[in-house]
Amino acid sequence: MYEFAVTPAVTNIRRRGVEICEVLPESLGAEMELESGDRIIKVNGRLVRDYLDFRFQTAGETELLLEVRKKSGEDWEVELERAEGEDFGLSFEQIVPRQCANECIFCFCNGNPADARPSLFIKDEDVRLSFLYGNYTTLTSITEDEMRRIVEQRLSPQYVSVHATDLDVRAYMLGVDKARADISSKLRRLLDAGIEVHAQVVLCPGINDKEVLDKTIRDLAAEYPRITSVAIVPLGLTRYNTDARLTRVTPEFCRDVIDQVTALQKELHAKLGTNFALLGDEIYLRAGRRIPARSHYGDYPQIEDGVGMVRSFANEFGRLVRKLEGARLRKTPGTIFTGTLFAPELKRMIEKLNSRFGTRLVVEPLENSYFGGDVSVAGLLTGQDVLQARERATGEFVVIPKQMLKSDEAIMLDGMNLSAVSGALGQPVHAVNLQELTALLTI
Ligand code: SF4
């Protein structure tokens, strides 16, 4: 009954089939005379809703009948035979995310400035994006159709925001009633079907910490290895979050959480052979504690959630530095800007680089003036933040973290583009990842 109530409000109305965006020359798609703008409606009589459906319905098939709605409006039936695994040479439109129907008290969308880019207000809750990109869903509004699809198409792993296994607490945090907050049967169904689940907890002081956190970790660990890991990340509040129910995360809070979870990790490691519950890097950095060693993270199951990213970066940095031995390096002075949280760690690494190779790089922390509050990660910095620190941009070039840009465009969260920032600073600004930084330094 609740699905009837929720689904129409959150499902995107869209045209049938999936649209082709690109056809590679001399590919199977080109041979079939498919073009960009055509829509594939059915494969072997089965409806196609998106490119995941196309991938699933064509997998392993060598004889295919495609129903295509041409860009011109004509309907085609295309029969083809292909060698096993032969690629179609087609690219498809992106998946339009399904929207969530929760009102989480900590939702980042509530902390956006009113003029933020519309994409920052998208509350996606989509099991397809969970499978493809590791986006978290709460499963509160998952439909029967989606549930069946995960199982049938093996959309595994799934990343699930659990927050608390205490139902009252979960319902309170998600802003939904207990019936919707209760995902125990849905979770069980996924696990019984062999779908791997990674869980997440957004830790809110005074709400789902202490005993609630202890219970959550233990309840989830009881499902190991079907639930593979739980990431615990701290609540992040911008200056626009004014909800009186939320308490800011402090260094003392982080130290208490580390002590609590470290003890649990020891216990779980002895029992399961894995730490299972992994704390976000932000918790160690804010606490002023050392980031754990590589072995702590196993195969980094939730690195995209900021769990183990700093350790992985530091190890990768060490490897790259070793590779630089004997290389000719640029000795011109430059400034590296990064978020205030990571800056001390990066400063240590760059100072080692400078003293070993004679490079002249300075790390400068950038305050986040756009979001304010305790937002201190590099990925949420903006062009305005860089410009506000212009007097600290010494040397002949500036480096900023690549995460500050949109993945497909040199534009930042406040709409400024890289060349405008560079023009305003009067020096080149390079948005790079670690590999690109070393390439930039090498002559
Ligand atoms: S599920 Fe995610 S997007 Fe939806 S309200 Fe909660 S935090 Fe926001």
Side-chain angles (χ1 to χ4, degrees), residues 362-435:
V362 176
V363 176
E364 286 289 343
L366 269 192
E367 298 289 336
N368 194 315
S369 58
Y370 186 70
F371 289 104
D374 47 33
V375 176
S376 48
V377 295
L380 293 174
L381 289 166
T382 64
Q384 292 167 37
D385 299 326
V386 177
L387 295 189
Q388 282 182 18
R390 68 171 79 208
E391 75 289 350
R392 289 189 282 135
T394 54
E396 293 170 28
F397 64 98
V398 166
V399 171
I400 60 170
K402 199 170 193 172
Q403 312 94 287
M404 281 177 63
L405 301 185
K406 264 183 90 182
S407 59
D408 56 351
E409 219 182 331
I411 194 163
M412 301 179 207
L413 278 172
D414 58 356
M416 286 196 80
N417 63 43
L418 196 57
S419 51
V421 174
S422 186
L425 285 183
Q427 49 183 317
V429 179
H430 306 278
V432 296
N433 60 26
L434 187 51
Q435 279 79 10

Side-chain angles (χ1 to χ4, degrees), residues 72-93:
S72 60
E74 278 175 84
D75 287 319
W76 282 15
E77 283 196 348
V78 182
E79 270 186 85
L80 75 134
E81 280 185 32
R82 63 167 185 159
E84 207 165 311
E86 186 179 358
D87 190 49
F88 290 91
L90 301 174
S91 301
F92 294 101
E93 64 181 327

Side-chain angles (χ1 to χ4, degrees), residues 90-120:
L90 301 174
S91 301
F92 294 101
E93 64 181 327
Q94 289 297 310
I95 285 174
V96 180
R98 211 159 92 70
Q99 304 283 294
C100 93
N102 302 323
E103 286 296 338
C104 298
I105 54 174
F106 53 82
C107 181
F108 198 83
C109 295
N110 303 337
N112 284 327
D115 62 350
R117 273 211 314 260
S119 61
L120 287 179

Side-chain angles (χ1 to χ4, degrees), residues 269 275 292-300 311 315:
H269 200 281
N275 288 327
R294 162 78 189 81
S295 57
H296 178 89
Y297 295 101
D299 56 357
Y300 292 112
R311 172 51 59 213
N315 288 1

Side-chain angles (χ1 to χ4, degrees), residues 99-110 121-125 136-138 140 161 163 173-174 202:
Q99 304 283 294
C100 93
N102 302 323
E103 286 296 338
C104 298
I105 54 174
F106 53 82
C107 181
F108 198 83
C109 295
N110 303 337
F121 290 97
I122 295 176
K123 293 172 150 196
D124 73 88
E125 163 98 342
Y136 291 90
T137 70
T138 60
T140 52
S161 275
H163 305 314
M173 291 181 76
L174 298 186
V202 173

